Amino acid sequence: IQSGEYDTKSYQIIYTNGDVTINDGVFTESNDDTKIYDSYAMFVVEGSSAHLTMKAGSITTGKTSDQSCGLYGIYSMAGGSITAGKQDGTGPTITSQFATLGQNNTTSPSTVTVYGGTYTTLYNPMENGTLSKWHKFASAIYDSGDSNITISGGTFKGYYAISIPYYNTASNISISNGALTST
């Protein structure tokens, strides 16, 4: 996918079970519905032969004014893998209501490699002074378990940088020295 502007009023621009590379582009979700879209994402990567590489560009999902909309940036499932950024440390800007890079709870494992970029989740899980039931999704990276996550660069903004909500998982997480910056 080359440079361009892509806007959707649905809940996915790309669903892949193959190999997709995004070199650049502006991807925006503009659905004005206020339902919670727990399983929707701008990009879905499904299956052990599915791989999405996003080298540059931007994804914007969710609403800054309404915390009830729960769209993800890139969502992998059933062995899908994601590579974000370039080995020189540059990368995309992904802003989403829930996790910018996430995995399905019931169809892990997944592989996520982050070389660089900025990853911002908008969801603030504090409702009336207590943590909401959706708090685990308020993270730049949501690890549902049995995954391989490698981070060698990037800036992660949100309530959590990485959320690993399940204690009985076998995730492998590697963060290069000084690579993880959370604000």
Side-chain angles (χ1 to χ4, degrees):
I1 296 174
Q2 296 298 325
S3 296
E5 292 188 22
Y6 305 87
D7 187 8
T8 181
K9 290 187 185 273
S10 65
Y11 311 112
Q12 295 171 356
I13 285 184
I14 292 176
Y15 170 92
T16 185
N17 59 7
D19 193 12
V20 172
T21 298
I22 299 168
N23 294 309
D24 200 1
V26 177
F27 302 90
T28 306
E29 180 273 328
S30 62
N31 189 314
D32 60 359
D33 201 335
T34 58
K35 296 178 184 175
I36 293 176
Y37 300 110
D38 180 31
S39 296
Y40 292 104
M42 185 66 73
F43 303 128
V44 174
V45 184
E46 181 175 13
S48 60
S49 63
H51 184 86
L52 186 137
T53 300
M54 186 166 187
K55 294 180 179 181
S58 67
I59 295 174
T60 304
T61 70
K63 303 175 189 176
T64 58
S65 62
D66 181 1
Q67 293 188 29
S68 66
C69 184
L71 293 173
Y72 297 89
I74 302 174
Y75 191 78
S76 63
M77 49 198 300
S81 63
I82 301 165
T83 299
K86 301 176 191 174
Q87 290 186 357
D88 67 3
T90 61
T93 299
I94 302 177
T95 303
S96 59
Q97 192 66 22
F98 280 175
T100 60
L101 304 172
Q103 303 163 357
N104 184 275
N105 291 341
T106 60
T107 65
S108 55
S110 292
T111 299
V112 176
T113 302
V114 180
Y115 292 116
T118 301
Y119 306 89
T120 304
T121 181
L122 300 172
Y123 183 64
N124 181 351
M126 294 302 290
E127 294 176 359
N128 302 320
T130 61
L131 210 53
S132 82
K133 68 178 182 177
W134 300 101
H135 72 92
K136 61 189 171 189
F137 302 108
S139 61
I141 297 176
Y142 174 75
D143 176 14
S144 64
D146 301 330
S147 63
N148 293 299
I149 298 174
T150 303
I151 301 171
S152 60
T155 301
F156 302 85
K157 300 176 183 180
Y159 196 80
Y160 306 115
I162 300 174
S163 172
I164 309 167
Y166 304 104
Y167 65 89
N168 59 347
T169 65
S171 294
N172 296 305
I173 299 175
S174 172
I175 301 172
S176 298
N177 188 26
L180 185 65
T181 303
S182 180
T183 57

